[in-house]
Amino acid sequence: MKLRSDDVKRGFERAPNRSLLKALGLSDEDINKPFIGVANSYNTIIPGHICLDKVAKAVSEGVREAGGVPFEFGTIGICDGIAMGHEGMKYSLPSREVIADSVELMVQAHRFDGVVLVTNCDKITPGMLMAAARVDIPSIIITGGPMLSGYFKNQKIGLISVFEGVGKYKEGKISKEELKGMEDVACPTCGSCNGLFTANTMACLSEAMGMALPGSATVSAVNAKRLTLARASGRQIMKLIKTDLKPSKILTIDAFKNAIMVDLALGGSTNTVLHLLAIASEAGIKLNLNIFDKLSRKIPHLSNMCPGGPYTMEDLDAAGGVPAIMKRLSKHLHLNIISVTGEKVQDNIRDASILNEEVIRPLSNPIHKEGGIAILLGNIAPQGSVVKTAAISLKIMNFTGSAKVFDSEEEAMKAILEKEVKSGNVIVIRYEGPKGGPGMREMLSPTSAIAGMGLIDSVALITDGRFSGGTHGPCVGHISPEAAEGGPIAIIENGDLIELNIPERRLNLKVDEKEIERRLNSWKPRPKVSSGYLRRYSSSVKSADKGATLNI
């Protein structure tokens, strides 16, 4: 079998290359084996990544067991929770492109025959999937798994509880000591945060689209089965090389539709819209916002996951995990497509069992009749916007309020904590889009403060930025075109009426059309950066409805 790695090791002219490989301790026998890249985003700043050294080691053991030679290399990773609420968050989404580029560079330069992507957390998993689609060699994802929940006063809590605790403390609902008590126990283990936030949603979708082994998304980071799955992933990459099963054969339009349907049934993070669009673009698949909304009309929301509901990743795993939710959705899914198991979806889920009918509800008894994400259009968002319906109270699905406008997250957060935002307001946070931020910051701090202060059912928030998977309430993000491109969100003024109608998928500014036209004609750009990576990113990034990918 001819290998890609033959480019660096076959023939007399490759003697210098082999000499360098022998400096690594490889024998002639080793050099004749397939070379497997193990892309590892391990670092000691992200709780979800601090355990990835052990995961990567288990992957390498599996590769060796199956007759390959593993080569581990690193990628960057940013912790959204630590970067949240300040300038650091501007670098989070842009890091996705750096991750994809770095994996491509290492894989292509060293001519690896296959790659195992050891990952966790928000931008890292999609970045690695983008790279897998781009380089199109046999690839498999293994995530580090979710952390366990913390407990405070006999109640299950996690990171979002602490974010919302800030608002509760400001409102006088909890003491400083109670906030400190929550802070101390909310994140008790390594792993991605405990709810169905972006990291865990992307892990679930990696599995749903066929790029990860069944059951791998939900097993906790501290469960020994995580290492068993990692070792199995190392062995499986060798099978993928033998059968030449590449991402291009797995990442079909039907695979993306399966992932979207699982996302809708689980009520996952709105960030998955950005990431699936970006991964599809790398795979040469035409995916647009219409597909998300069309599927959301027919796929019911079945799992009441945190932050909108009480269940965490431990509960989903105990209920059967992603194979169980896919079995529940089987009449809607595309079952005849292949995955990294080498088997079809129908084979992967044949023996799956739904072990808790409350966590994974029957189709006949959903939480919501429609899926957990909706796409809104209107004169504020002509190219679309995204809202997580799974995390909104039914009583505020249709809301009209007066605009309270801010040109940055910091301005909005200050006003919220100083109680300048009142019931009946629609908070507008703009110039936080991909270009305008730059970097499309997540607005978890403002939305958590709103929730903590008891305004979650009486205040809406719209932005050209985006939200953490931990956000809940009537929060509309990804508004396109963004303010920095002269989109209509740029010309909203304090006191303007804004209509949010989720059932009818509308987001409108209730201002006379001639007045809107007058304001748009007088708008001028407001660039925020003039140097560094963010300047380069801002100059080349596309809009959110295109996945915030870069112009090549």
Side-chain angles (χ1 to χ4, degrees):
M1 177 176 67
K2 188 178 187 316
L3 299 170
R4 268 172 49 103
S5 58
D6 288 348
D7 292 351
V8 301
K9 64 189 185 184
R10 291 284 181 222
F12 73 90
E13 68 274 24
R14 294 298 176 225
N17 309 62
R18 291 193 294 273
S19 181
L20 289 167
L21 291 168
K22 288 176 180 180
L24 304 174
L26 269 61
S27 65
D28 287 329
E29 183 183 6
D30 291 329
I31 290 172
N32 287 326
K33 297 175 181 178
F35 284 6
I36 307 301
V38 180
N40 183 7
S41 54
Y42 165 81
N43 60 52
T44 60
I45 185 66
I46 308 179
H49 290 221
I50 197 168
C51 50
L52 292 186
D53 55 339
K54 298 178 181 65
V55 176
K57 181 181 178 182
V59 167
S60 294
E61 289 170 357
V63 170
R64 289 192 187 95
E65 288 169 10
V69 180
F71 297 90
E72 186 177 336
F73 63 90
T75 70
I76 66 166
I78 289 174
C79 179
D80 281 15
I82 296 173
M84 192 72 67
H86 54 81
E87 288 289 302
M89 178 48 70
K90 292 184 177 182
Y91 292 85
S92 175
L93 182 60
S95 74
R96 184 187 70 181
E97 318 309 312
V98 175
I99 292 160
D101 290 349
S102 67
V103 173
E104 177 195 2
L105 290 167
M106 291 294 288
V107 165
Q108 299 292 51
H110 299 105
R111 313 309 294 160
F112 292 131
D113 300 301
V115 61
V116 182
L117 304 157
V118 181
T119 175
N120 227 13
C121 300
D122 303 54
K123 307 304 145 325
I124 299 90
T125 299
M128 288 201 180
L129 283 166
M130 289 166 67
R134 188 186 300 172
V135 301
D136 198 31
I137 65 170
S139 308
I140 189 168
I141 283 265
I142 176 69
T143 58
M147 69 170 60
L148 298 179
S149 299
Y151 283 86
F152 182 70
K153 294 187 174 180
N154 208 33
Q155 296 291 317
K156 187 187 294 186
I157 68 167
L159 178 65
I160 303 307
S161 310
V162 188
F163 269 103
E164 294 183 1
V166 172
K168 290 180 179 179
Y169 170 67
K170 184 66 179 180
E171 195 69 10
K173 295 179 179 179
I174 61 173
S175 67
K176 188 175 182 179
E177 291 71 27
E178 287 175 307
L179 181 59
K180 174 65 163 59
M182 293 168 65
E183 170 191 328
D184 289 345
V185 301
C187 301
T189 72
C190 65
S192 48
C193 297
N194 68 334
L196 194 68
F197 315 136
T198 306
N200 291 324
T201 307
M202 283 309 306
C204 290
L205 301 197
S206 298
E207 190 179 324
M209 68 175 70
M211 288 297 293
L213 293 181
S216 64
T218 55
V219 173
S220 80
V222 295
N223 189 322
K225 189 178 178 183
R226 175 61 48 192
L227 300 182
T228 303
L229 286 162
R231 195 173 291 107
S233 297
R235 292 194 298 268
Q236 187 63 22
I237 193 66
M238 297 300 294
K239 294 180 181 178
L240 299 182
I241 291 168
K242 288 176 184 175
T243 58
D244 196 32
L245 183 52
K246 302 174 181 177
S248 57
K249 297 176 183 177
I250 296 170
L251 294 175
T252 63
I253 184 62
D254 287 342
F256 281 99
K257 288 179 179 178
N258 281 356
I260 293 168
M261 286 187 273
V262 168
D263 194 4
L264 295 168
L266 288 172
S269 166
T270 53
N271 281 318
T272 57
V273 177
L274 280 177
H275 298 324
L276 289 177
L277 289 170
I279 298 162
S281 177
E282 296 288 358
I285 301 294
K286 291 184 178 179
L287 197 65
N288 56 51
L289 293 180
N290 291 335
I291 293 175
F292 287 86
D293 202 58
K294 182 179 178 181
L295 291 174
S296 76
R297 297 287 193 177
K298 77 171 187 176
I299 301 299
H301 175 212
L302 300 178
S303 295
N304 203 12
M305 300 291 294
C306 173
Y311 300 120
T312 63
M313 295 304 291
E314 300 146 73
D315 302 311
L316 182 59
D317 187 58
V322 175
I325 197 83
M326 292 182 77
K327 184 136 189 189
R328 185 71 92 196
L329 293 172
S330 57
K331 77 172 188 178
H332 296 293
L333 296 179
H334 301 277
L335 301 176
N336 203 32
I337 57 175
I338 202 161
S339 79
V340 291
T341 64
E343 306 290 336
K344 294 178 180 177
V345 172
Q346 62 193 14
D347 302 313
N348 292 340
I349 66 174
R350 180 174 289 120
D351 297 327
S353 299
I354 297 150
L355 303 174
N356 188 322
E357 298 271 336
E358 281 300 311
V359 177
I360 302 175
R361 294 216 193 164
L363 294 173
S364 60
N365 183 33
I367 299 152
H368 300 111
K369 290 182 180 179
E370 295 185 351
I373 291 175
I375 306 301
L376 309 185
L377 294 164
N379 64 7
I380 293 177
Q383 292 169 206
S385 61
V386 182
V387 63
K388 185 173 179 175
T389 56
I392 304 176
S393 167
L394 290 174
K395 61 187 177 185
I396 200 168
M397 290 284 186
N398 193 337
F399 181 80
T400 298
S402 60
K404 195 81 171 173
V405 182
F406 305 97
D407 288 343
S408 71
E409 178 189 1
E410 287 86 354
E411 292 177 17
M413 187 65 178
K414 183 174 182 288
I416 292 166
L417 291 179
E418 292 181 356
K419 302 184 180 180
E420 294 175 13
V421 172
K422 308 295 182 184
S423 178
N425 283 154
V426 177
I427 300 168
V428 179
I429 306 178
R430 62 192 180 193
Y431 294 100
E432 291 287 7
K435 285 183 182 294
M440 205 178 182
R441 284 194 286 183
E442 291 181 345
M443 303 294 156
L444 181 58
S445 294
T447 60
S448 296
I450 290 166
M453 296 172 78
L455 296 171
I456 198 72
D457 289 335
S458 60
V459 166
L461 190 155
I462 70 171
T463 180
D464 53 8
R466 58 197 178 91
F467 299 111
S468 161
T471 289
H472 61 114
C475 302
V476 183
H478 306 200
I479 289 175
S480 300
E482 61 175 293
E485 292 187 307
I489 190 173
I491 54 87
I492 299 174
E493 297 180 357
N494 284 321
D496 287 345
L497 287 182
I498 294 174
E499 176 200 30
L500 170 63
N501 189 322
I502 294 171
E504 296 184 14
R505 305 296 199 260
R506 293 202 310 263
L507 179 63
N508 283 316
L509 178 62
K510 307 298 282 182
V511 171
D512 181 76
E513 289 184 13
K514 290 184 178 179
E515 173 61 13
I516 292 175
E517 185 178 355
R518 183 193 68 76
R519 294 182 192 178
L520 287 171
N521 288 336
S522 64
W523 174 84
K524 294 180 181 179
R526 303 182 192 178
K528 287 185 179 179
V529 294
S530 58
S531 63
Y533 179 70
L534 289 183
R535 182 190 64 79
R536 286 185 280 126
Y537 180 82
S538 178
S539 67
S540 60
V541 70
K542 298 177 187 175
S543 63
D545 66 297
K546 301 294 189 298
T549 53
L550 300 183
N551 289 302
I552 303 298

